[in-house]
Amino acid sequence: LDPYRAWNVDLGAEWYFAPKAVLQAGLFAKSISGYIVNAEFSNGVYNGIAYDEAVIPINADRGKVWGLEFAYGQAFTQLPAPFDGLLVNFNYTYTDAKVDVLGRNVPLPASSRHNFNAVLGYDKSGFSFRIAGAFRDRYLDELGSDDESDRYVEPHFQLDLSAKYKVTPNIQVFGELVNLNNAKYTAYQRGPEK
């Protein structure tokens, strides 16, 4: 395999509109050559070994990626106690990513069109609490031999919770709960036996 190479252009702007507060926006574009993808092949020979079905890494021809990203974060320290420990973070990314491989133009593997994270938290007097939501749109997980055998992963949204308490300067107690909403991971192929 050849290593993949990319030309990247990024443009960003940030506005710090209050203490511990920021708005951010960005635009990015990439041109990728030789992107490495895992492709599924049937009935062939690879390095002298015959196979019925195999997943083999190959170099794609050319990939194009562009997108937009937005973020907002703020700690509300200006509020009266006890609300001066509240904080919020949010980010969103839109990505349009395509790659040419095996004569097809497909989504760049593992690249979702829409992604966002949102956090609501509290941080004061040694106590820290966060509830976070993360969304990832559908994405191509594995390249098959044709459109019907490509494997995709369904959109996924999950909630996580974490809490920490600093008992002394050297001792901290923490706990995490992951995937509170029991979001399912679902992968599928688009063929007749989806």
Side-chain angles (χ1 to χ4, degrees), residues 17 23 25 66 87 91 97 110 113 115 131 141:
F17 60 92
L23 277 175
W66 76 270
L87 58 91
N91 64 61
R113 190 167 290 252
N115 292 283
I131 185 159
D141 184 46

Side-chain angles (χ1 to χ4, degrees), residues 13-25 70-76 88-91:
E14 298 178 348
W15 178 35
Y16 298 91
F17 60 92
K20 297 187 179 181
V22 65
L23 277 175
Q24 299 171 302
F70 303 96
Y72 161 69
Q74 186 168 9
F76 295 95
V88 65
N89 288 298
F90 177 81
N91 64 61

